[in-house]
Amino acid sequence: MKFKLFSQVALREDIPKYGLKKGATATVVEHYQMPEGEEDGYSLESFNVEAITVEVAESQIEAIKAAVLQLGKY
């Protein structure tokens, strides 16, 4: 599994069926392991749209990199 359950991801492409745009963020809520040679899938939730779960292929999402805080010396 490339993406852990409950990790935050962003779409790599638009999903017109749901009006979702590339870069929209969501949470991984399910992983679907496919047979060898096929791409794994994931269910995503929380696109700032109520009651929607979207199924995507692994190649359609990417991890969100954690922001690094730079603290200055005072």
Side-chain angles (χ1 to χ4, degrees):
M1 175 171 39
K2 183 175 181 177
F3 300 99
K4 293 180 181 180
L5 292 181
F6 308 112
S7 63
Q8 297 292 302
V9 296
L11 292 178
R12 289 179 170 233
E13 58 189 59
D14 294 349
I15 301 181
K17 177 179 177 180
Y18 297 104
L20 299 172
K21 300 289 184 187
K22 177 180 178 178
T25 59
T27 302
V28 174
V29 295
E30 190 64 63
H31 171 246
Y32 306 102
Q33 187 170 356
M34 302 305 284
E36 188 173 332
E38 293 185 37
E39 190 172 16
D40 283 0
Y42 296 87
S43 287
L44 308 177
E45 290 185 355
S46 300
F47 284 103
N48 295 326
V49 179
E50 290 186 34
I52 185 172
T53 300
V54 177
E55 284 78 29
V56 297
E58 188 171 273
S59 64
Q60 292 180 289
I61 56 177
E62 61 189 356
I64 295 176
K65 297 184 177 34
V68 177
L69 297 177
Q70 294 183 352
L71 300 175
K73 293 182 180 179
Y74 294 96

